């Protein structure tokens, strides 16, 4: 009898200790220019769309760093690792004369707490 109770207790602990990630959607993110960098050859503007307020600046800096290291390509999906979350999104690069605009559109934010947020356009 003690073995059965112990086994049930052990199984209940194992089943409740599994951490499942919660998936939620969001429709309202922050849009705007985050970085304007000038050099002798060009002006680079990094903008984020559908961004989460607390991590938008950090992610924009990482995107600019990737651009400066020639690691960004136009119209390609990237996952950027931040201090609080991993952000997946599409990167669009537009060039006109000496102006370079880098637009990063958030699609998914995977918080290290386990929460996953997916951007869904609000139709209302």
């Amino acid at each position: 009898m003690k073995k059965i109770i112990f086994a049930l207790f052990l199984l209940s602990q194992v089943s409740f200790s599994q951490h499942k990630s919660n998936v939620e959607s969001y429709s309202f993110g922050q849009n705007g220019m985050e970085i304007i960098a000038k050099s002798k050859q060009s002006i680079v503007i990094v903008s984020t769309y559908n961004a989460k307020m607390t991590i938008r600046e950090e992610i924009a800096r990482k995107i600019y760093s990737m651009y400066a290291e020639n690691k960004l390509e136009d119209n390609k999906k990237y996952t950027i690792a931040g201090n609080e979350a991993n952000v997946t999104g599409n990167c669009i690069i537009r060039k006109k004369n000496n102006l370079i605009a880098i637009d990063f559109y958030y699609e998914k934010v995977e918080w290290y707490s386990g929460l996953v947020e997916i951007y869904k356009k609000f139709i209302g």
Side-chain angles (χ1 to χ4, degrees):
M1 185 68 173
K2 287 183 181 180
K3 289 182 181 180
I4 293 174
I5 292 174
F6 181 72
L8 288 174
F9 176 74
L10 186 61
L11 287 173
S12 67
Q13 290 298 321
V14 170
S15 66
F16 286 114
S17 69
Q18 299 297 320
H19 186 342
K20 295 181 181 178
S21 63
N22 296 330
V23 177
E24 295 181 4
S25 64
Y26 70 100
S27 298
F28 300 101
Q30 300 291 316
N31 298 338
M33 289 186 284
E34 301 298 333
I35 297 173
I36 300 173
K38 278 181 143 181
S39 70
K40 290 182 180 180
Q41 298 88 9
S42 63
I43 299 172
V44 178
I45 299 173
V46 178
S47 300
T48 58
Y49 297 90
N50 316 321
K52 300 305 283 185
M53 187 68 158
T54 57
I55 59 174
R56 64 187 170 92
E57 239 181 88
E58 175 194 8
I59 299 301
R61 290 185 196 280
K62 291 192 179 212
I63 291 167
Y64 178 73
S65 294
M66 289 175 68
Y67 175 78
E69 296 169 3
N70 292 323
K71 294 182 179 178
L72 279 184
E73 295 178 29
D74 183 33
N75 205 17
K76 189 172 178 188
K77 219 174 250 203
Y78 289 96
T79 299
I80 311 294
N83 292 332
E84 297 179 51
N86 290 333
V87 177
T88 302
N90 194 30
C91 186
I92 306 292
I93 301 172
R94 296 176 287 135
K95 297 178 182 181
K96 185 171 184 179
N97 299 328
N98 67 340
L99 179 64
I100 300 165
I102 302 170
D103 299 332
F104 186 77
Y105 294 85
Y106 282 49
E107 294 176 2
K108 179 170 64 169
V109 180
E110 297 175 272
W111 298 95
Y112 295 142
S113 65
L115 175 64
V116 176
E117 293 183 295
I118 298 172
Y119 178 77
K120 293 200 179 190
K121 188 172 183 170
F122 177 73
I123 300 172

